Amino acid sequence: MSLALFCPSKPADAVDVQQVAPGVWRLRFGNPEPLTPIHFRSAEPAVEAMKSLPAAKDLPIALKQISFSVRPRGCTLELPMTRGERIYGLGLNTTFFEMSGKRAFIVPGDQPENEANVSHAPEPFYVSSDGFGVFVDTARFASFYTGNVDPTSKPPGADSAGNEAASAGGVEDLYRARELRKRTMLIDVPTAQGVDVYLFSGPAMMDVVRRYNLFSGGGCVPPMWGLGMAYRGLNKFTADDSLKLAQSFRDDHIPCDIWGLEPGWQTHAYSCSFVWNRKAFPDPDGFVRQMGVMGYRLNLWEHCFTHPTSPIYEALAPYSGNYRVWSGLVPDFAMPEARKIFLGLHEKEVFSKGISGVKLDECDYQPFRSTNVWSFPEPSQFPSGMDGEQMHSMLGVLYQQTMKEPFDQRNLRTWGLVRNSQALASPLPYTVYSDSYDHRSYVRGVAKSGFQGLLWTPEVRNAESVEEFYRRTQTVIFTPFALINSWFLRMPPWMQVDREKNNAGQVMADHAEVTAAVKKLFEVRMSLVPYLYSAFNEYHLHGTPPNRALVMDWPEDPNVAAIDDQFMCGPSIMVAPMFTGQTHRSVYLPKGTWYDFWTGEKYEGGRRIDIGKPAEIGPVFVKGDTLLPLAAPTERFADNTCYDITVRVYGDHPSAAALFEDDGVSNDFQQGKQNRIDLTWAEGKGSEVRTGSYAGPARYRIVGWDRVASKAIK
């Protein structure tokens, strides 16, 4: 290869460096592309909130340690890595957790359980255990070689310790030597002839993630009804089928706030018409009204590919890509004209009828597959100037932004689902879900989501047994979107878990017992709504992710560095799901005192314990010195709902806790129409102080303080 084809960048001291927010620097290398995640960002940085984070004066990586080069295939960056440095993030692939020593593709895909890091939410952002974060602002299918390259431009990789280990001759010593070698982070951005890199300072990983989320605009706050239970019925359900089953939930007092309709609500799906199927739903307005009377918020499934029978097909064609998917147009949501046309039909058919949310499906890709290739190709061209590669990266974010607009115009919050997202997405009120089914991977996704401003639901779809259904439900009730997705079942799974028998109408002999157990789990979720609502307000105000891995809270504890089967829910609850066939599991309790959520038993942390739980409940722990506000369970959230709160008191000197009170449905809280209720405990007595300007119906009533008995430490 001719040296003339290799174009090194400017010297490091000539790179354009700007501090763009407190603790955030932009490094501009070469000539970046214009259509990137920053260009399509959903909100401006929450600069004032970022000022409250620990101050950082200097770049977390010295410029002289960063190299950049441009080649005809694109551009590359090299960043230093220290021995023992761990890398987290780079999207919601559910196979990997800690990412060092791997090659991570930032590519959207429809199967996130793979070894290429392809996922439903790839993201060119990572967090280092050394206390900084790196965001590469690109919509290209970038690759991150996380310490497994050895450039000849630097001294030979093995130091003396590594050479000594290798000389021992054993296989284990050889691999240990490989780990001891100096490491380099190599980032490959195809096509682009330049790139903006954003560095986020710490000093702790939690500070990095908070800073990134606030730089994105701050985390979303769902409507209060969005934190209740959600159910999706059979894809063939008619209006009468849905009304009948929904009424049975109310008759049996099974908590549920959100009711999902699958593709059959439309005249055509795969691709979509976005027009009501009048055979199955002869009176859409009446159906929506009747569901509303029962207290349900409706969520409609769709994807954006627009069928030729849709009324907007001809008008949308000039603002779509040059390849169809399932005979449907691919709208270019980067163009206001495409959004206007697309939303015009939705306003008539969906939003004007009072639909509360949407499920945005099929907006991902199938990159490493040679058969059943269903989406638009990478060489596609879009009127905005994006090609297929860029659109695949950004389609999920652009789709979310588009479908959020009608709710913003109504000053309402929405809560939805999406199957593809990307960087800077924390302000968007959508939770990523998967088309795969492995429970173990689902739990890893919950832990991993906290590194990158994304929300994840381990929705309950598939269960081979009652035990598995219990275990999956125990996980989902502690996550952002508590969804039972029964799209292929006529009856609820607590009536029959076997798919064939369920659709044949055969109930399980023990269905009453199973229903009662599931109802109790749903009620646990409903009791957590005020606690979760506070966690999301912290996400919005300070960038703290509501679900996250233990390593974010205890970064100095080496025992939590690789734990991906436990996760935090809010500030004080730790969940350690059990999986099918387990009668016991090992749980790591970080340093401090912990209490069993169910029994109040007390444990000393800083160690592993072996614990067993019956199938109906799973291991859940509460940090010592916590005030945990729990509500008397309701069946749903209503306009006049006021939660009766009992505050559990754990430990002798609990830290203060806060509740956030507002109307629960509008965006008025962003203009300060919100109360904060500070809960404190001193000298054996609890107190509450309410401050703020919200003057609507009270949402919380403190009815008691429950001092958890200090049982003997186990």
Side-chain angles (χ1 to χ4, degrees):
M1 178 175 176
S2 171
L3 292 177
L5 294 179
F6 176 77
C7 304
S9 71
K10 306 173 186 178
D13 58 3
V15 173
D16 180 18
V17 179
Q18 292 186 22
Q19 185 166 4
V20 294
V24 183
W25 291 266
R26 187 198 71 192
L27 281 57
R28 174 160 290 174
F29 297 95
N31 299 303
E33 294 185 304
L35 301 177
T36 66
I38 286 284
H39 176 80
F40 294 117
R41 66 183 311 147
S42 302
E44 292 301 311
V47 174
E48 289 303 313
M50 296 175 76
K51 291 178 181 177
S52 67
L53 294 172
K57 297 180 180 179
D58 301 316
L59 289 168
I61 305 176
L63 281 178
K64 64 181 181 181
Q65 295 182 295
I66 303 174
S67 62
F68 169 78
S69 60
V70 177
R71 297 175 175 83
R73 62 164 274 110
C75 61
T76 59
L77 285 151
E78 290 180 8
L79 287 77
M81 288 183 65
T82 61
R83 182 185 300 172
E85 181 180 355
R86 300 182 301 277
I87 302 298
Y88 300 96
L90 296 174
L92 268 180
N93 174 276
T94 57
T95 295
F96 298 123
F97 180 65
E98 200 273 309
M99 298 298 297
S100 60
K102 300 176 177 64
R103 180 185 182 184
F105 289 97
I106 308 302
V107 182
D110 60 347
Q111 296 293 325
E113 294 162 16
N114 61 79
E115 294 190 355
N117 198 62
V118 172
S119 78
H120 285 317
E123 188 169 357
F125 172 72
Y126 70 83
V127 186
S128 167
S129 61
D130 286 354
F132 64 88
V134 176
F135 166 51
V136 180
D137 184 30
T138 182
R140 293 297 173 188
F141 292 171
S143 295
F144 286 68
Y145 298 79
T146 59
N148 50 358
V149 295
D150 190 5
T152 57
S153 60
K154 298 178 180 176
D159 59 17
S160 59
N163 287 327
E164 289 175 7
S167 66
V171 173
E172 291 183 2
D173 292 327
L174 183 63
Y175 281 113
R176 187 168 68 89
R178 187 174 66 179
E179 295 302 317
L180 289 171
R181 289 172 181 148
K182 296 176 182 178
R183 298 190 295 168
T184 297
M185 169 73 75
L186 172 65
I187 303 169
D188 175 38
V189 184
T191 304
Q193 300 298 291
V195 69
D196 285 341
V197 177
Y198 291 78
L199 300 182
F200 293 79
S201 66
M205 285 196 292
M206 181 71 87
D207 298 317
V208 174
V209 170
R210 285 172 174 153
R211 203 180 302 276
Y212 175 71
N213 289 337
L214 292 172
F215 182 72
S216 303
C220 61
V221 178
M224 295 195 82
W225 54 260
L227 296 175
M229 291 301 305
Y231 186 86
R232 304 194 74 86
L234 184 70
N235 60 343
K236 297 179 181 179
F237 269 179
T238 65
D240 288 343
D241 294 327
S242 295
L243 289 167
K244 182 179 179 181
L245 184 57
Q247 184 59 56
S248 75
F249 279 33
R250 295 294 180 238
D251 294 342
D252 295 336
H253 304 289
I254 294 174
C256 188
D257 273 279
I258 302 172
W259 196 271
L261 297 185
E262 290 296 289
W265 73 269
Q266 301 175 68
T267 56
H268 199 283
Y270 287 86
S271 52
C272 290
S273 66
F274 316 111
V275 175
W276 284 88
N277 175 1
R278 298 289 176 141
K279 292 182 179 179
F281 296 85
D283 179 14
D285 294 274
F287 169 73
V288 175
R289 186 168 54 252
Q290 291 180 72
M291 292 294 289
V293 168
M294 287 189 281
Y296 291 100
R297 311 280 178 158
L298 285 177
N299 180 286
L300 302 186
W301 176 99
E302 68 168 52
H303 60 232
C304 65
F305 311 130
T306 305
H307 192 259
T309 60
S310 177
I312 59 174
Y313 184 88
E314 295 299 329
L316 192 61
Y319 307 106
S320 300
N322 62 337
Y323 288 91
R324 288 184 289 265
V325 176
W326 298 313
S327 300
L329 298 172
V330 183
D332 187 349
F333 289 133
M335 302 195 71
E337 297 89 344
R339 293 193 188 204
K340 182 177 180 180
I341 294 167
F342 195 79
L343 289 176
L345 179 58
H346 279 77
E347 179 63 30
K348 175 185 176 183
E349 295 286 328
V350 176
F351 301 121
S352 66
K353 300 183 186 305
I355 301 302
S356 296
V358 285
K359 174 181 176 179
L360 309 177
D361 202 359
E362 312 291 11
C363 50
D364 41 33
Y365 191 30
Q366 69 302 313
F368 302 121
R369 183 186 296 172
S370 58
T371 59
N372 191 28
V373 179
W374 56 264
S375 197
F376 54 90
E378 291 165 38
S380 298
Q381 292 296 314
F382 290 83
S384 63
M386 299 176 78
D387 60 29
E389 178 182 6
Q390 293 168 303
M391 183 59 79
H392 275 301
S393 291
M394 299 310 305
L395 181 56
V397 167
L398 293 170
Y399 198 3
Q400 291 172 71
Q401 292 172 346
T402 300
M403 302 306 280
K404 181 175 176 285
E405 285 183 23
F407 297 98
D408 289 340
Q409 292 166 1
R410 289 170 166 80
N411 190 30
L412 290 174
R413 283 176 262 172
T414 184
W415 198 232
L417 297 156
V418 68
R419 215 175 80 170
N420 182 22
S421 197
Q422 227 252 14
L424 309 175
S426 59
L428 295 170
Y430 294 86
T431 301
V432 182
Y433 68 97
S434 178
D435 247 6
S436 53
Y437 300 93
D438 181 70
H439 186 199
R440 180 66 184 77
S441 295
Y442 272 10
V443 171
R444 185 179 295 113
V446 178
K448 194 170 180 179
S449 65
F451 293 117
Q452 50 229 333
L454 295 168
L455 303 174
W456 168 263
T457 175
E459 60 176 15
V460 183
R461 284 197 185 200
N462 194 45
E464 299 297 329
S465 65
V466 170
E467 180 197 358
E468 184 179 1
F469 179 63
Y470 284 153
R471 297 304 189 195
R472 288 177 176 270
T473 303
Q474 291 157 21
T475 299
V476 80
I477 62 173
F478 291 97
T479 67
F481 207 116
L483 174 60
I484 309 298
N485 187 354
S486 299
W487 70 271
F488 52 64
L489 298 177
R490 181 164 290 277
M491 296 186 298
W494 50 86
M495 302 297 292
Q496 175 61 262
V497 294
D498 183 274
R499 180 173 182 172
E500 184 175 335
K501 293 179 180 178
N502 185 301
N503 291 321
Q506 301 175 31
V507 299
M508 298 183 294
D510 58 349
H511 69 88
E513 177 185 340
V514 175
T515 301
V518 170
K519 181 181 175 183
K520 287 182 179 179
L521 289 172
F522 287 7
E523 288 174 343
V524 170
R525 171 63 176 213
M526 302 308 288
S527 74
L528 291 169
V529 167
Y531 171 80
L532 294 171
Y533 197 62
S534 290
F536 271 97
N537 272 275
E538 286 294 322
Y539 185 38
H540 174 68
L541 294 170
H542 303 120
T544 307
N547 284 128
R548 57 198 179 276
L550 272 59
V551 70
M552 287 184 63
D553 288 63
W554 293 274
E556 303 303 321
D557 186 344
N559 297 298
V560 302
I563 291 179
D564 61 356
D565 61 353
Q566 300 173 216
F567 60 86
M568 294 299 295
C569 171
S572 305
I573 295 176
M574 182 178 68
V575 185
M578 293 178 69
F579 305 104
T580 305
Q582 288 186 319
T583 57
H584 288 74
R585 68 154 290 174
S586 174
V587 175
Y588 183 74
L589 300 176
K591 186 177 180 180
T593 303
W594 293 86
Y595 293 81
D596 188 299
F597 176 81
W598 310 104
T599 68
E601 290 180 288
K602 188 176 180 181
Y603 295 84
E604 190 62 43
R607 63 193 178 103
R608 282 195 169 273
I609 63 169
D610 184 73
I611 191 166
K613 289 292 182 184
E616 295 83 357
I617 60 174
V620 180
F621 298 88
V622 181
K623 286 198 300 187
D625 288 335
T626 285
L627 294 179
L628 180 63
L630 295 177
T634 61
E635 291 180 25
R636 64 185 181 89
F637 174 81
D639 292 340
N640 62 351
T641 294
C642 181
Y643 293 97
D644 287 338
I645 303 290
T646 298
V647 183
R648 283 191 191 173
V649 182
Y650 294 91
D652 297 325
H653 306 286
S655 301
L659 293 169
F660 291 83
E661 180 181 57
D662 51 52
D663 62 27
V665 295
S666 79
N667 293 315
D668 288 350
F669 76 99
Q670 296 181 349
Q671 282 70 53
K673 294 183 179 180
Q674 185 180 66
N675 294 333
R676 178 185 171 107
I677 305 171
D678 288 295
L679 306 173
T680 57
W681 178 270
E683 298 179 356
K685 183 179 179 181
S687 62
E688 56 179 294
V689 176
R690 184 183 261 101
T691 57
S693 61
Y694 169 69
R699 292 296 177 205
Y700 305 116
R701 181 169 49 239
I702 309 299
V703 298
W705 298 76
D706 179 15
R707 185 78 182 271
V708 178
S710 297
K711 298 183 179 180
I713 293 178
K714 283 197 167 186

